[in-house]
């Protein structure tokens, strides 16, 4: 190898790796273009304070998007996460505000409620073989109705201790962002380093072949349903802490479509078997940046909703046409 070849080898490898990253995550190009457009039109999009606000607002979305992405990769779906988010926030707020329990107890109560919802979904879908779409769509309504029956009045005034969950800063970073970062890291490590992570892809690609290979095709997705329910309840508790209030009828309404949009934009196919945590992060950042930029431009709410709907369709297209990662 000549000296020139040795000098150019690393740049060539870096360029190849960069192009491969873009090829696997086409949303990256769209995200960069969107950031440039919003910065040029608003002049303040890239201000540190605004970026911090985007990260904080997108944290609850990221907390749920990661386990939901794993569930979708395995070939299942959960449309009840919005209602579970509301139930988690209500249970946590009720324990902290009405019964003056510690933040830890309030949070554990919320997580238990989310786990219960996830377990019901998991049993019906994984062990009874019912359609995940129909089951979780029904649970979306059932859990919302249960929340309204248990908590007919808005809850507020949860105390300074509970407010720490959503309002504290850890090493200068908002607590919800830290929680979301930990969830993203856990999801990445799970897929990259554990046999169960590889099993998730195998189940999504071919459930029967995975079963014949000795993979737990029921237990693994069941666990993902439970984790998704826990994550949704955690996001609800975080949101309730930030707002210091929660309403059964409106909290988390439409959230299931927002988080599903982020997952699809991130390259996770509804057919299962493909996706990455990096792609999910890009999807979350894109939706957070889109909403923030449109708000800075004073775009009416109905136009923002239309933009999110277009993003959902675009996400489905990306998931269909993007190359399968196999990771």
């Amino acid at each position: 190898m000549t000296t020139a070849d040795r000098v150019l080898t690393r740049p060539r490898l870096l360029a190849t790796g960069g192009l491969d990253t873009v090829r696997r995550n086409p949303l990256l190009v769209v995200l960069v273009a969107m950031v440039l457009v919003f910065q040029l039109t608003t002049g303040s999009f890239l201000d540190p304070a605004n970026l911090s606000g985007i990260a904080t607002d997108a944290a609850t979305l990221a907390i749920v998007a990661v386990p939901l992405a794993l569930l979708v990769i395995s070939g299942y779906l959960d449309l009840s996460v919005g209602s579970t988010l509301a139930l988690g926030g209500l249970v946590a707020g009720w324990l902290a505000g009405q019964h003056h329990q510690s933040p830890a107890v309030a949070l554990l109560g919320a997580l238990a409620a989310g786990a219960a919802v996830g377990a019901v979904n998991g049993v019906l879908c994984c062990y009874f073989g019912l359609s995940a779409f129909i089951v979780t769509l029904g649970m979306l309504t059932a859990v919302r109705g249960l929340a309204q029956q248990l908590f007919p009045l808005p809850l507020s005034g949860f105390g300074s201790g509970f407010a720490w969950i959503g309002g504290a800063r850890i090493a200068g970073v908002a607590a919800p962002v830290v929680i979301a970062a930990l969830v993203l890291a856990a999801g990445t490590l799970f897929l990259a380093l554990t046999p169960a992570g590889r099993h998730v892809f195998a189940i999504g690609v071919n459930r029967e072949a995975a079963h014949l290979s000795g993979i737990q095709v029921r237990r693994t997705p069941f666990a993902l349903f439970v984790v998704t329910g826990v994550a949704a309840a955690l996001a609800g508790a975080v949101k309730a802490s930030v707002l210091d209030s929660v309403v059964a009828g409106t909290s988390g309404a439409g959230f299931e479509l927002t988080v599903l949009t982020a997952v699809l934009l991130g390259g996770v196919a509804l057919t299962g078997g493909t996706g990455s945590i990096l792609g999910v992060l890009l999807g979350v950042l894109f939706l957070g940046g889109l909403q923030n930029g449109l708000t800075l431009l004073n775009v009416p709410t109905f136009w923002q909703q239309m933009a999110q709907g277009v993003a959902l369709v675009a996400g489905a297209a990306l998931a269909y046409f993007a190359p399968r990662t196999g990771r």
Side-chain angles (χ1 to χ4, degrees):
M1 179 181 292
T2 66
T3 302
D5 287 337
R6 285 197 297 269
V7 171
L8 293 174
T9 296
R10 181 171 177 79
R12 285 172 181 166
L13 290 173
L14 291 174
T16 302
L19 289 173
D20 187 61
T21 299
V22 173
R23 182 180 65 84
R24 293 175 180 272
N25 301 279
L27 184 61
L28 181 60
V29 177
V30 181
L31 178 61
V32 172
M34 182 191 72
V35 170
L36 292 176
V37 169
F38 280 147
Q39 176 60 23
L40 291 174
T41 53
T42 67
S44 59
F45 186 81
L46 290 177
D47 288 355
N50 189 60
L51 293 178
S52 176
I54 293 175
T56 302
D57 292 341
T60 53
L61 182 59
I63 291 170
V64 184
V66 171
L68 180 63
L70 299 178
L71 187 62
V72 175
I73 290 172
S74 71
Y76 291 87
L77 180 66
D78 188 351
L79 295 176
S80 66
V81 289
S83 298
T84 306
L85 180 147
L87 181 63
L90 287 162
V91 170
W94 176 70
L95 289 172
Q98 304 297 318
H99 292 272
H100 309 290
Q101 297 294 322
S102 68
V105 172
L107 191 58
L108 287 175
L111 299 185
V117 174
V120 172
N121 287 333
V123 168
L124 294 177
C125 297
C126 302
Y127 289 96
F128 284 88
L130 302 182
S131 167
F133 178 85
I134 295 175
V135 167
T136 59
L137 184 62
M139 287 293 286
L140 181 154
T141 305
V143 174
R144 178 74 63 181
L146 175 64
Q148 291 177 309
Q149 179 66 29
L150 294 176
F151 307 100
L153 299 177
L155 300 180
S156 61
F158 306 138
S160 58
F162 186 75
W164 185 92
I165 299 173
R169 302 192 74 83
I170 302 172
V173 180
V177 177
V178 174
I179 296 172
L182 292 174
V183 172
L184 285 161
T188 301
L189 294 175
F190 172 76
L191 283 184
L193 301 180
T194 67
R198 294 188 292 273
H199 294 169
V200 169
F201 286 102
I203 295 170
V205 171
N206 191 318
R207 179 183 174 89
E208 184 62 27
H211 173 68
L212 294 175
S213 300
I215 294 175
Q216 298 289 343
V217 296
R218 292 180 177 177
R219 186 183 305 171
T220 299
F222 171 80
L224 291 177
F225 268 112
V226 174
V227 172
T228 301
V230 169
L234 172 60
V238 170
K239 189 172 183 180
S241 174
V242 171
L243 299 177
D244 196 34
S245 65
V246 59
V247 181
T250 59
S251 179
F255 180 78
E256 57 281 339
L257 292 181
T258 303
V259 69
L260 182 60
T261 301
V263 169
L264 293 179
L265 282 172
V268 178
L270 278 175
T271 52
T274 183
S276 69
I277 300 301
L278 173 59
V280 173
L281 174 60
L282 293 177
V284 169
L285 293 177
F286 177 82
L287 285 185
L290 178 64
Q291 182 177 11
N292 179 268
L294 293 177
T295 301
L296 290 177
L297 292 173
N298 296 316
V299 174
T301 302
F302 67 88
W303 284 111
Q304 295 188 30
Q305 292 174 339
M306 289 182 64
Q308 183 174 315
V310 171
L312 177 58
V313 175
L318 281 175
Y320 180 81
F321 290 108
R324 298 175 73 86
T325 63
R327 293 185 289 109

